[in-house]
Amino acid sequence: MAAARDAFWEAGYSATSLDDLAAATGMNRPSLYAAFGDKHSLYLAALKGQAEGMLAATRAGLAFRGDLKATLANFYSRAVDLYIGDRDSGRGCFLVGTALADAVSDVEVRAVLRESFEQMDTLMAERLQRAVVDGDLPADADVPTLTYVAMSALHGLAIRSRAGFSREALGRLANAAATAVCG
């Protein structure tokens, strides 16, 4: 599954052929069909698996022990590490990088993307609400708006990574985002 996901990640759903998937997985086409069904089913399984991984990474990143600014700085830094990895240029987030284009016309892809974003938003809102309780944010903080700002910054990091921005540039954006959310 990881090899198929990586093939989709590199080229996107439409540009990834069954031959590409067969080469990436080391399976022949009949074996791919037997194991995963058609190309669309394989792509949806890869999206769902990656969405689960993103949710777990979000949960772990937001569980960082520190004040809100330190937590967000850690959260964004971990995201940049995932988006860049050990590559010369980043490939960004699998969902943001591949599913956005297909979500326009594919209701199943759109549902996976939307559910993933909503679940991550919920985790961020919970962390920001805790920051209000802890005194890291003012009592009258607009948590829903700050949630959208915080998560939009995360998506911006993914997009800019895929566009080839350096780790240093992404780090500056991550620091600016953490500062902006914290006021």
Side-chain angles (χ1 to χ4, degrees):
M1 182 59 73
R5 179 208 58 209
D6 288 347
F8 286 126
W9 205 335
E10 289 299 320
Y13 173 74
S14 296
T16 303
S17 69
L18 285 173
D19 289 336
D20 296 331
L21 292 168
T25 61
M27 300 171 72
N28 62 34
R29 291 172 89 170
S31 296
L32 276 172
Y33 282 118
F36 302 108
D38 62 8
K39 176 181 157 182
H40 188 258
S41 297
L42 177 55
Y43 182 61
L44 283 174
L47 281 176
K48 289 174 184 176
Q50 195 67 14
E52 290 170 9
M54 286 176 50
L55 190 60
T58 299
R59 187 175 287 112
L62 294 176
F64 182 78
R65 296 197 186 272
D67 65 11
L68 180 61
K69 188 169 183 179
T71 298
L72 291 177
N74 176 67
F75 175 68
Y76 292 134
S77 176
R78 290 171 65 146
V80 169
D81 287 344
L82 289 171
Y83 298 157
I84 297 284
D86 60 358
R87 302 162 55 99
D88 291 333
S89 64
R91 62 183 182 175
C93 168
F94 179 64
L95 270 71
V96 171
T98 66
L100 285 179
D102 297 309
V104 173
S105 60
D106 188 323
V107 67
E108 292 174 290
V109 170
R110 186 177 330 135
V112 171
L113 191 61
R114 183 180 180 115
E115 181 179 343
S116 174
F117 285 179
E118 288 173 346
Q119 290 174 334
M120 291 170 56
D121 288 351
T122 297
L123 293 174
M124 180 61 75
E126 289 169 355
R127 178 59 184 95
L128 294 176
Q129 190 58 52
R130 192 169 82 235
V132 170
V133 172
D134 293 345
D136 291 339
L137 288 174
D140 64 347
D142 184 349
V143 170
T145 298
L146 290 175
T147 298
Y148 289 125
V149 169
M151 295 310 290
S152 293
L154 178 69
H155 302 314
L157 289 168
I159 292 165
R160 288 174 181 263
S161 168
R162 190 146 177 119
F165 282 72
S166 69
R167 183 182 296 275
E168 181 182 336
L170 294 171
R172 286 193 305 271
L173 175 60
N175 288 334
T179 300
V181 171
C182 293

